[in-house]
C-alpha cells in the first residue's frame, strides 16, 4: 500500500484517533525500546523521525536527528527531516510544527495517534538486526541519551536483561530436580487423609441443573439489554437527523434575515447621509422637494435596482449615473418631473405635503 493511499484512509473519525495514551506509550517504548512516560516527550520530533526510519529505510539521516533537543528551534530541525521524508515518499500529511513544538498534550496526542495508525498500515516487519538504541547513538546527544530515550532495561538494554534471565535458569532447574528427592525423604503423616463424602444423586442433579437455570435469567437480561440499546440507538439517530434538518433550516432563515437587515440598514444610512448634506447647504442651495423625492426613491427601491447614496447625498443608479428627484438628472428637474412622480403613485402624492411641512418646520426650528 502506498503512503498516499494509506494517509488518505486515516480520517478524523477513524478509530485510530481513539487510541489511548497508555497504548501509544507502550507502542513507542516497545517498538523503539524507550522509556517514554508522557506523550509530551514526543514533541521534539526525534521519536517520529526514528519511526519513519523504520517505515522508510535510509530516508532520514539519523545522524542529524537531535535527541538532546530542548528548544523549539532544535525541535524544528527534527521536523524538517521528517517532512522531507514524507515529501519524498508522497505522504500527504501536513505536519503542524508550530503546534507540536509547544509540547501541548492534545496536539501531540493526535499526531501520535495518526503516526501509529500510519505505521500499522505501512511499516514492513521489523528489519532483522535493527537496533533502535544503536541507531539513536548515532544522532546528536546519542552517547548520553535523556532518560526517556534510554532503553527500557537500563544501560545494558534488553540484551543485558536477556542475559540476566538466562543466567538464572539453571538455579530454577536445580530447584525443580531437588523437589522429588525432598518429597521422597518426607515421612508419612500419622493421620490418614479422609476421603470426602460421596455426593448423592440428587445433589449431582441439582448441581447440573443449577448453572443452566441460573444462566437463563442472565441471558434473557442480556438479550433485553441489547434490544434496548438498538432501540435507543435508532431513537438517537432519528433525533440527530431531525436536529440536523432543523439546523439547516435555521441557518437558511438566519441568512435571509441578515440580508434583509443589511438591506434596510443601507436605506436608513443613505437617508441619513442625504439629510446631513442638506443641513450643510446654504438656504439658497436647499431644495426640500428634491430631498423628499430622493427619500421616497430610496425607500421604495428594490434590491435589484442597486440604488445607492453617494457621500455627496446624490442617488446613483446601477449604471453609475446620478438620479434626480424626478427620475432624471438633477439639472433637468422641475415641476413637470414632480408631477410625473405624483401621477405614478397616488399614495406618495398624499404623503408628500405632510412630510414637506414637517421637514420644513423642523428645519426652521433648527
Amino acid at each position: 500500500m502506498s503512503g498516499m493511499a494509506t494517509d488518505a484512509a486515516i480520517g478524523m473519525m477513524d478509530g485510530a484517533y481513539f487510541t489511548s495514551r497508555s497504548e501509544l506509550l507502550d507502542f513507542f517504548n516497545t517498538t523503539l525500546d524507550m522509556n517514554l512516560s508522557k506523550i509530551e516527550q514526543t514533541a521534539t520530533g526525534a521519536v517520529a523521525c526514528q519511526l519513519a526510519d523504520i517505515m522508510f529505510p535510509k530516508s532520514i539521516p539519523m545522524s542529524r536527528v537531535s535527541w538532546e533537543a530542548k528548544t523549539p528551534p532544535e525541535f524544528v530541525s527534527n521536523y524538517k527531516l521528517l517532512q522531507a521524508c514524507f515529501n519524498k515518499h508522497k505522504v500527504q500529511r501536513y505536519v503542524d510544527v508550530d503546534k507540536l513544538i509547544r509540547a501541548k498534550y492534545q496536539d501531540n496526542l493526535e499526531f501520535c495517534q495518526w503516526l501509529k495508525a500510519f505505521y500499522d498500515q505501512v511499516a514492513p516487519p521489523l528489519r532483522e538486526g535493527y537496533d533502535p538504541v544503536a541507531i539513536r547513538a548515532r544522532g546528536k546527544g546519542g552517547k548520553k541519551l535523556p532518560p526517556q530515550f534510554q532503553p527500557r532495561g537500563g544501560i545494558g538494554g534488553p540484551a543485558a536483561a536477556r542475559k540476566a534471565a538466562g543466567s538464572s535458569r539453571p538455579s530454577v532447574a536445580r530447584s525443580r530436580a531437588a523437589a522429588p528427592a525432598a518429597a521422597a525423604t518426607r515421612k508419612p503423616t500419622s493421620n490418614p487423609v479422609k476421603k470426602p463424602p460421596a455426593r448423592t444423586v440428587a445433589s449431582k442433579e441439582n448441581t447440573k441443573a443449577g448453572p443452566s437455570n441460573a444462566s437463563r435469567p442472565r441471558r434473557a437480561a442480556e438479550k433485553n439489554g441489547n434490544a434496548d440499546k438498538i432501540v435507543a440507538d435508532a431513537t438517537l439517530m432519528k433525533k440527530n437527523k431531525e436536529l440536523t434538518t432543523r439546523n439547516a433550516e435555521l441557518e437558511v432563515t438566519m441568512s435571509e434575515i441578515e440580508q434583509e437587515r443589511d438591506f434596510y440598514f443601507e436605506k436608513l444610512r443613505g437617508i441619513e447621509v442625504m439629510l446631513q448634506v442638506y443641513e450643510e447647504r446654504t438656504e439658497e442651495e436647499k431644495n426640500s422637494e428634491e430631498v423628499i423625492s430622493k427619500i421616497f426613491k430610496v425607500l421604495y427601491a428594490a434590491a435589484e435596482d442597486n440604488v445607492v447614496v453617494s457621500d455627496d447625498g446624490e442617488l446613483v443608479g446601477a449604471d453609475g449615473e446620478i438620479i434626480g428627484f424626478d427620475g432624471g438628472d438633477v439639472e433637468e428637474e422641475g415641476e413637470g418631473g414632480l408631477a410625473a412622480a405624483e401621477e405614478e403613485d397616488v399614495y406618495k402624492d398624499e404623503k408628500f405635503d405632510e412630510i414637506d411641512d414637517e421637514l420644513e418646520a423642523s428645519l426652521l426650528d433648527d
Side-chain angles (χ1 to χ4, degrees), residues 29 80 87 95 99 120 158 194 198 220 248-249 252 300 336 344 346:
N29 291 334
K80 285 183 179 179
N87 294 340
V95 181
K99 287 186 177 180
D120 292 340
K194 295 181 179 180
E249 294 174 352
V252 173
Y300 290 103
E344 180 182 355
V346 176

Side-chain angles (χ1 to χ4, degrees), residues 34-148:
M34 292 182 171
N35 261 319
L36 297 176
S37 59
K38 297 189 297 183
I39 291 294
E40 294 87 334
Q41 292 172 338
T42 65
T44 65
V47 175
C49 285
Q50 186 165 16
L51 204 63
D53 180 58
I54 298 177
M55 291 187 284
F56 307 109
K58 299 182 180 180
S59 295
I60 290 185
M62 295 302 294
S63 60
R64 294 172 55 188
V65 175
S66 176
W67 295 97
E68 58 184 357
K70 296 180 181 179
T71 61
E74 294 174 318
F75 297 172
V76 172
S77 299
N78 288 339
Y79 282 113
K80 285 183 179 179
L81 299 176
L82 179 66
Q83 190 66 67
C85 172
F86 284 175
N87 294 340
K88 179 180 179 180
H89 293 277
K90 298 181 180 179
V91 179
Q92 294 182 337
R93 169 72 185 192
Y94 170 69
V95 181
D96 197 341
V97 179
D98 292 336
K99 287 186 177 180
L100 295 177
I101 62 176
R102 297 175 187 171
K104 299 295 183 181
Y105 172 77
Q106 188 61 37
D107 296 329
N108 284 275
L109 176 69
E110 292 178 0
F111 182 69
C112 288
Q113 289 170 334
W114 174 87
L115 196 61
K116 180 183 182 301
F118 188 55
Y119 176 87
D120 292 340
Q121 297 185 25
V122 173
L126 191 63
R127 302 202 304 271
E128 183 177 356
Y130 184 85
D131 187 349
V133 180
I135 295 296
R136 287 200 292 278
R138 302 175 189 172
K140 299 177 182 179
K143 301 299 182 182
K144 191 176 180 181
L145 291 169
Q148 66 269 24

